[in-house]
Amino acid sequence: MKVLIHQTRETATECVAGLIVDRIARDPDVVLGLATGGTMEAVYDDLIARYRATGVSFAQAQSFNLDEYIGLTPDHPCSYWAYMREKFFHHVDFMPGRTHLPRGDAADPVVEAARYEAAIVAAGDIGLQLLGLGANGHIGFNEPTSSLSSLTRIKTLTQSTRDANARYFTSDDDVPRLAITMGIGTIMRAQDIVLLAFGANKSRIVAQMIEGPVSAACPASILQMHRNVTVVLDEEAASALALRDYYELVHPRVAAPAS
Ligand code: F6R
């Protein structure tokens, strides 16, 4: 696991956007695995800025998002379809039909989950998977105690995840209780994984993910078993790491820009 500790959220975000753009430059038809949530908003802003400034193109790439709420149509303003359209897809040159999310409004979510898993396999699996980290250790919506070899399926959201995401909904009761999520086994088939986490509220779970035992109690800890994972953190998210000096010895922090 490569652990990169940045002084600020801004430089951590630039680092992640840079890794994505570098991958597209090397591999224009890469299959990207994408995430939603607050952490990713700045990454998409940065990618849009790079698209405008440098012309980096997503036209040959494909994307598969991690998850979608069950019960929300793609045009529901709180759906992850809407999030991705508004915050990323509408601003860059992805080709219609090459961006994929599960359908939260599918008549049979079990069938939809199987269809989505099969579509990822048919695309050759994910080349570069972008992940955020839930404060309870989830990746995608794989909540604690998820099978570490699970495939795309329906998960019941924990109350803490519903509380964390309530800010996107008009009332707490509107937050869906179920989601379709890529499984942990699906995520682990990705060639490369980049996880981004910010803030003191993630520091405890970041330490468990990197330095704790591999356990379904902290689903993100399975990333210790993947060969190509880069974890990008800001100072606050890194603050509970016991081996922080070691990570900074291996990958020295980028110096703060002179003011
Ligand atoms: C979103 C997702 C989640 C989030 C995680 C962190 O598609 O899969 O795992 O990445 O809940 O969310 P934020 O960034 O809002 O703290």
Side-chain angles (χ1 to χ4, degrees):
M1 201 180 258
K2 187 189 271 190
V3 180
L4 305 179
I5 302 171
H6 285 259
Q7 294 193 328
T8 66
R9 293 178 183 216
E10 289 71 24
T11 55
T13 300
E14 282 169 24
C15 170
V16 169
L19 291 171
I20 296 168
V21 164
D22 288 350
R23 180 60 182 260
I24 288 175
R26 285 201 314 276
D27 187 7
D29 60 356
V30 62
V31 180
L32 296 171
L34 298 178
T36 59
T39 312
M40 294 304 144
E41 293 186 21
V43 175
Y44 296 134
D45 285 346
D46 190 314
L47 288 173
I48 293 164
R50 287 171 197 250
Y51 169 74
R52 290 180 180 150
T54 70
V56 55
S57 176
F58 298 87
Q60 294 179 57
Q62 284 195 74
S63 70
F64 286 87
N65 265 76
L66 283 162
D67 38 28
E68 177 59 291
Y69 294 112
I70 290 183
L72 302 193
T73 58
D75 58 2
H76 188 290
C78 300
S79 70
Y80 284 161
W81 281 86
Y83 173 110
M84 292 306 298
R85 277 195 307 269
E86 286 162 21
K87 298 192 189 308
F88 191 34
F89 296 153
H90 274 183
H91 307 280
V92 296
D93 64 345
F94 268 112
M95 301 296 281
R98 291 178 71 80
T99 56
H100 310 274
L101 288 90
R103 290 283 304 224
D105 60 341
D108 186 338
V110 174
V111 171
E112 172 61 4
R115 181 200 67 77
Y116 197 70
E117 180 73 27
I120 295 168
V121 171
D125 279 324
I126 305 296
L128 177 62
Q129 176 68 55
L130 182 59
L131 294 176
L133 177 65
N136 64 1
H138 72 214
I139 48 177
F141 275 141
N142 294 285
E143 300 284 36
T145 72
S146 286
S147 159
L148 296 179
S149 59
S150 49
L151 302 179
T152 305
R153 71 212 181 291
I154 300 167
K155 283 299 291 180
T156 302
L157 303 181
T158 61
Q159 191 56 45
S160 68
T161 294
R162 295 184 66 234
D163 292 345
N165 291 357
R167 66 191 189 281
Y168 291 105
F169 293 81
T170 40
S171 94
D172 293 1
D173 285 344
D174 290 345
V175 185
R177 293 169 191 278
L178 300 173
I180 295 177
T181 181
M182 276 191 208
I184 296 177
T186 320
I187 293 168
M188 289 291 283
R189 295 198 310 266
Q191 283 166 12
D192 295 286
I193 296 178
V194 176
L195 183 144
L196 176 63
F198 294 150
N201 69 322
K202 301 274 175 83
S203 62
R204 182 192 60 82
I205 203 72
V206 162
Q208 277 185 43
M209 167 180 72
I210 297 173
E211 297 173 340
V214 173
S215 165
C218 174
S221 64
I222 192 65
L223 299 178
Q224 295 174 32
M225 303 291 290
H226 194 282
R227 292 188 181 87
N228 300 307
V229 176
T230 303
V231 176
V232 184
L233 305 170
D234 71 349
E235 290 269 0
E236 290 183 337
S239 60
L241 288 168
L243 297 178
R244 180 178 167 159
D245 290 351
Y246 176 64
Y247 311 133
E248 292 189 338
L249 176 72
V250 181
H251 301 289
R253 276 185 303 169
V254 180
S259 52

